[in-house]
Amino acid sequence: MADGVEAADIAGTAGADIAGTAGTDTVREFERHRGRLLAVAYRVLGRTGDAEDVVQDAWLRWSLADVGQVADPEAYLVRTTTRLAIDRLRSAQARHESYVGPWLPEPMLTSPDVAEDVALADSVSTALLLVLETLSPIERAVFVLREAFGYPYGEIAEIVGRTEATARQTARHARAHVEARRTRYDTDLATRTAATERFLAAAAGGDLGALMAVLAPDVELVSDGGGLAPAPRKAIHGAELVARALATFAGRMPPEPSVELVTLNAGPGIVIRSGPTAVVAITLHLVDGLVRTVHLVSNPEKLTALG
């Protein structure tokens, strides 16, 4: 699922700082692959800001390399980006241990055509990215390279600095780990969009009955405020409690509020703004047409890419 999709994956850019510090050919070659590098880094890290920083670091290394001696620029750049992302992920996972409240991946604006590709959409789903957080950094990188981009095991082994046999074993373990922990959510885009529209109308109108009609009985609300915005410190379970929490939240709209339906992580999502600033992002995950999981991000540090 790799060819032709990476540039559409991330609406932000890491190229603004790539200026005339290197030759034109060096810059052009890097730009050819930057979309893929961002796509790999985001899936490994779960944060657009970190992904852009990693790609910028990869550019600095590329700009200092003797690129004329690099036989395969893409392989070189993906290897560099992946190893930088693994290093950053290790420190990020240590930070997660002291994170205030639940941790969710940073929401990412994606183009609508990405949402129409079921396999591609799944690879950037917040639900999958959350499961990937339970893998080790090496396992996560191997899973992303194999499952999202289809790299052969020999290339993966070279990228992560392992033998091919070890790469295969790591991939099998990571795949089994993910399958055992993930929920199979509905993938039909029309169904998800219709449910998101009904959810938004009911929540905005404070209609508990209509809201509960969209929610599965065992629905879970996970809110990520990171200690920087008001948010429950634990997940909320059950249709009635989740509906009341959402209705309470809807009654506390920010100044100059606006609500927008957008494509987040290759699926329908909701962004609430205060003036031009995004203050909340919501993604819904459905099972049998009902909302089974609500991911709500209000941590302002995770919403800057939605501005």
Side-chain angles (χ1 to χ4, degrees):
M1 85 183 58
D3 292 342
V5 300
E6 296 84 357
D9 282 350
I10 298 180
T13 65
D17 295 330
I18 296 176
T21 58
T24 301
D25 290 344
T26 301
V27 174
R28 185 183 296 116
E29 188 64 40
F30 185 86
E31 286 297 313
R32 284 185 57 221
H33 304 292
R34 183 164 59 86
R36 169 162 293 207
L37 304 182
L38 280 166
V40 170
Y42 175 75
R43 286 165 172 82
V44 173
L45 292 164
R47 291 195 63 163
T48 57
D50 284 350
E52 291 172 350
D53 288 346
V54 161
V55 171
Q56 184 65 25
D57 288 345
W59 156 250
L60 293 175
R61 297 192 181 200
W62 175 253
S63 68
L64 297 173
D66 184 358
V67 298
Q69 301 301 311
V70 178
D72 188 339
E74 180 185 327
Y76 176 95
L77 288 167
V78 170
R79 180 172 65 250
T80 300
T81 298
T82 301
R83 290 180 178 180
L84 288 168
I86 289 171
D87 289 342
R88 183 171 287 242
L89 182 59
R90 286 178 174 135
S91 63
Q93 288 185 335
R95 293 197 303 270
H96 291 175
E97 295 178 2
S98 59
Y99 197 79
V100 177
W103 186 95
L104 289 173
E106 183 175 334
M108 176 182 69
L109 289 168
T110 48
S111 60
D113 60 320
V114 175
E116 294 173 359
D117 184 319
V118 174
L120 178 59
D122 180 61
S123 76
V124 290
S125 157
T126 56
L128 177 60
L129 292 173
L130 195 56
V131 174
L132 295 187
E133 284 295 312
T134 62
L135 295 173
S136 73
I138 290 290
E139 289 172 336
R140 181 164 180 168
V142 169
F143 182 91
V144 165
L145 292 169
R146 181 63 183 174
E147 300 298 321
F149 296 97
Y151 280 102
Y153 290 111
E155 289 188 39
I156 293 173
E158 185 177 353
I159 289 170
V160 300
R162 299 291 191 273
T163 65
E164 183 172 343
T166 299
R168 287 179 179 275
Q169 183 179 13
T170 301
R172 285 196 297 269
H173 179 270
R175 191 182 305 114
H177 181 97
V178 169
E179 290 301 318
R181 286 161 177 77
R182 71 185 308 185
T183 300
R184 288 293 179 183
Y185 293 111
D186 295 349
T187 58
D188 181 71
L189 186 57
T191 300
R192 296 176 65 195
T193 300
T196 301
E197 291 172 346
R198 293 198 305 273
F199 173 92
L200 178 58
D207 188 336
L208 284 179
L211 189 54
M212 289 182 64
V214 182
L215 304 177
D218 56 347
V219 63
E220 177 184 53
L221 169 63
V222 182
S223 300
D224 179 348
L228 302 175
R233 299 290 179 89
K234 295 182 179 180
I236 298 174
H237 299 270
E240 183 173 355
L241 290 177
V242 169
R244 291 186 181 280
L246 291 169
T248 300
F249 174 81
R252 299 173 179 171
M253 294 293 282
E256 302 180 62
S258 64
V259 181
E260 182 181 5
L261 285 171
V262 297
T263 304
L264 287 178
N265 293 81
I270 301 166
V271 173
I272 301 173
R273 302 181 189 278
S274 177
T277 304
V279 294
V280 173
I282 300 172
T283 53
L284 309 178
H285 305 282
L286 279 61
V287 173
D288 296 330
L290 295 176
V291 177
R292 173 64 179 78
T293 306
V294 181
H295 286 160
L296 189 155
V297 176
S298 57
N299 181 344
E301 293 182 349
K302 293 187 175 183
L303 299 173
T304 56
L306 304 184

